[in-house]
Structures are given as C-alpha cells and as structure tokens.
Amino acid sequence: MPDRELPPGSTIGILGGGQLGRMLAMAAARLGLKAHIYSDEAEAPAFDVAAAKSVGSYGDGDAIAQFASCVDVVTCEFENVPAAALEAAARIVPVFPPAKSFAVAQDRLAEKDFVNGLGIPVAPYAPVDSLDDLRNALGRVRYPALLKTRRFGYDGKGQVPIRNEEDAVPALAAIGPVPALVEGIVPFECEVSVIVVRGQRGELQFYDPVENVHQGGILAISRAPARIAPALAVEARTIAGKIADALAHVGVLCVEMFARKGERPELIVNEFAPRVHNSGHWTLDACLISQFESHIRAISGWPLGETARHSDAVMTNLIGADVDRWRELAAEPDTAIHLYGKPEARQGRKMGHVTRLYPKS
Ligand code: AMP
C-alpha cells in the first residue's frame, strides 16, 4: 500500500478555481473525496461544486499555509502558480505534482532544454534577450519563426510571427522587454496531444493521443483518437512517458506535439502542461475514468483506473458567445454538454464544451 493513500472522506486542496478545478472537484466527489478550492477570484467557477473555498492571493504564504492545514493533499489546476505558493503548502501537506514539473513548464526555455536533453525532438530554438540575440538566432532557426515570451504565454498569447528580417524589431517591441525565445515554425500535418497519468510509485497510464485544432491560438477541437499512423501513436505515448518519468511527475501531464509533414512524419514536442488539460475533456464522456478522476486517483495514492476509450469522440470548445447555443446543443443526440457556470461570455473565454460520441473505430 502506498504511504499516502487517502481514504474516502479525505479533502483534496486545489489551487485555482477555474473550469479545470471545477471538473477536478466533481471527479473527487465521485470517489467520496471532498474538494477545497483556493482561488484569487471571489466568484470562481469551481466554488459552485466544492465542499469548501478560500479566497486569497497566490502570493500570500500565510493564507496558503492556512488553506493547506485544512486539506490532506494539495494540487493545482493552473500552470503559473508561484513556486512560493507550492513551497508554503508543501511545508504542511504533500503537494502533487512536484514543484519541478511546474518550474520546468513555466519557462519555455527550461522546458525546451529539458525535453531536448531527453533526446526528444523539439523545434529549433534559441534564447532571446536582445535584438542582437534575435538576429543571431534567426540565422540558425530560419524563417518563418515565432518569437515567444519565456513565461506566462498561453492560448497563443505572448507570441509573434517573424516572416523576414524586417519583422524582428516590431516583434521584439510587440512582446515587450521580457526574456524570450525564438523558434522555427514546424510545418505540421496535425497537432497531437497525449495525456499521461503517473502514480506515486511511478506507474503510468495513457489516454489515446488526440488531434487538436487551434483557432487564434486557442484550442477549438480535439478529436479522439488522432488520425495518425499506429507507430506514431505509440511514439507519442513513449515521449509522454519519458517526460513524466524524468520529472518524477505525479498526476496528469499533457504533452502537446506537432506531427511534422514529410515522407516519414516525425513528432516534435511543442510544450507540456503539468495538469489536466483542455485536450483531455473528451475523456469525461468517452472513457470510463476521465483525466480528472485519474489525476485525483494519482495524487490520492489510489490505484490508477482504466484509461481506454469506449467511444470515439470529438470535443468542441464553447468560446464566448458559442455558449448561447446551449439549448440546441443540449438537444443533440450522442452529445454531452458541459457548461462552466461563468456569468459573462466574454470574447475568447472558455464557457463550456460539447463532446460528440461515435462508435469506437
Ligand atoms: P503555444 O502557445 O506554444 O501552445 O502555441 C499555440 C499554438 O501556436 C500551437 O498549438 C500551434 O498551433 C502554434 N505554434 C506554436 N509554436 C509553433 C511552432 N514552432 N510551429 C508551428 N506552430 C506553432
């Protein structure tokens, strides 16, 4: 028996109160576990479904410690949690995933170096702290390229395309005076992601690789399974497992990759998220045990459950005003609708998703 097995009735502390925290709390409830959500927002979507809530800043070590003292384990539903918050919690209770998973994923340069160091292909890249760096780096990574901030980029934010030499100065101005990196644009057949779950004893389970379509940098659609060659699907899992092992990760980890165009398609890792991920929402309806429950099981020291899919699925995000179609979507056959309870359908805001099920291929 693992030493950190949490029996039903235990409380999972979740840093972050967005839709991911909400779905984690619901998965915990299915297992008879309670969720206590800590968020810096007074009205967080996860509060509606949690047993307890705390509102405070992620920079307030005392408030985090107070929260940690009320729970049996702490996890996190967003990537950019300050290291100090994890440390404050870890002084009191176990924290999963480990701090290293967050530290590496929070910095695109550290992340690329880490993945590259494991012998896993990544796009050509170089750090950029000045115009000289950028000009030198462009000679190596070539055009077209992307200039990305090293930290706090998500949903396509914090990145600017560079098509030619003239774009260099405006691109640097657009991202501002922050540490950055430049990387070559990968001509891809499709984007793929894999969700791996790693337990406290290093056991691994994988969900089928999915194919993702982004619009304006935001995930629009995930199709399960990805329409890639079986050997590539195996390779995708191997890569995800290697990263999870190297981090000694515990919980769910999502690795996003490009299937590069070419005679022999190859997988290039773009980035990973040390948490449950939007491209895994389909698992709620097409698998016996979702990514959310898998995460809760792993951090609670439970046996990892079945990750096989029983149906094929296409998950579509409801972004901004898309959610106004809820009545029509709710009436569709073989379709599960999930709404996040957010009061205001701002442009670009993830309001919910639908998953359409198809017979297993
Ligand atoms: P990211 O913020 O790195 O997740 O990038 C958001 C989206 O931009 C990705 O899902 C891709 O669609 C696209 N993208 C990012 N980096 C590259 C790259 N090196 N080559 C091609 N497309 C990219």
Side-chain angles (χ1 to χ4, degrees), residues 8 13 19-20 26 30 45 115 168 172 185 220 225 249 262 275 301 318 326 332:
Q19 64 267 20
L20 300 178
M26 291 196 280
R30 175 159 121 164
V115 174
L172 264 188
I185 288 190
H249 190 80
R275 54 168 171 80
L318 302 176
W326 63 268
E332 263 190 40

Side-chain angles (χ1 to χ4, degrees), residues 27 95 111 153 158 243 311 322 356:
V95 175
E111 184 179 47
I243 293 174
S311 303
D322 294 347
R356 299 185 170 92

Side-chain angles (χ1 to χ4, degrees), residues 8-244:
S10 304
T11 301
I12 311 288
I14 301 173
L15 291 168
Q19 64 267 20
L20 300 178
R22 178 181 171 102
M23 291 184 270
L24 282 168
M26 291 196 280
R30 175 159 121 164
L31 301 177
L33 297 160
K34 297 180 197 309
H36 183 153
I37 305 285
Y38 185 103
S39 171
D40 64 355
E41 285 175 52
E43 305 275 333
F47 286 164
D48 294 350
V49 298
K53 64 173 187 177
S54 298
V55 179
S57 141
Y58 297 112
D60 183 345
D62 290 341
I64 300 269
Q66 167 64 27
F67 156 73
S69 66
C70 303
V71 304
D72 298 297
V73 66
V74 165
T75 192
C76 191
E77 61 108 51
F78 69 110
E79 211 156 309
N80 287 313
V81 58
L86 297 175
E87 281 160 23
R91 280 195 280 274
I92 294 163
V93 275
V95 175
F96 296 120
K100 182 171 182 183
S101 296
F102 290 98
V104 177
Q106 284 174 358
D107 179 344
R108 285 189 197 273
L109 182 61
E111 184 179 47
K112 286 264 195 300
D113 286 344
F114 183 81
V115 174
N116 194 33
L118 295 174
I120 298 168
V122 293
Y125 69 101
V128 171
D129 292 312
S130 66
L131 185 58
D132 276 352
D133 283 353
L134 179 57
R135 288 200 166 123
N136 289 334
L138 284 167
R140 275 174 288 144
V141 308
R142 304 194 186 285
Y143 303 103
L146 281 171
L147 183 66
K148 298 183 176 181
T149 57
R150 278 173 57 176
R151 303 180 77 86
F152 304 118
Y154 68 98
D155 283 351
K157 292 190 172 67
Q159 55 173 277
V160 187
I162 302 186
R163 289 152 302 178
N164 51 42
E165 228 177 301
E166 281 89 75
D167 283 350
V169 171
L172 264 188
I175 64 158
V178 291
L181 62 75
V182 66
E183 65 182 57
I185 288 190
V186 177
F188 56 77
E189 208 76 67
C190 64
E191 292 189 70
V192 171
S193 62
V194 178
I195 292 194
V196 54
V197 48
R198 190 172 183 278
Q200 293 180 31
R201 285 160 298 175
E203 66 277 31
L204 293 173
Q205 290 270 37
F206 301 88
Y207 289 95
D208 287 320
V210 303
E211 203 177 313
N212 298 318
V213 179
H214 291 85
Q215 281 162 7
I218 303 179
L219 181 68
I221 292 170
S222 293
R223 173 190 293 269
R227 292 164 297 182
I228 54 174
L232 220 54
V234 171
E235 177 64 12
R237 288 174 188 226
T238 305
I239 288 173
K242 232 185 203 180
I243 293 174

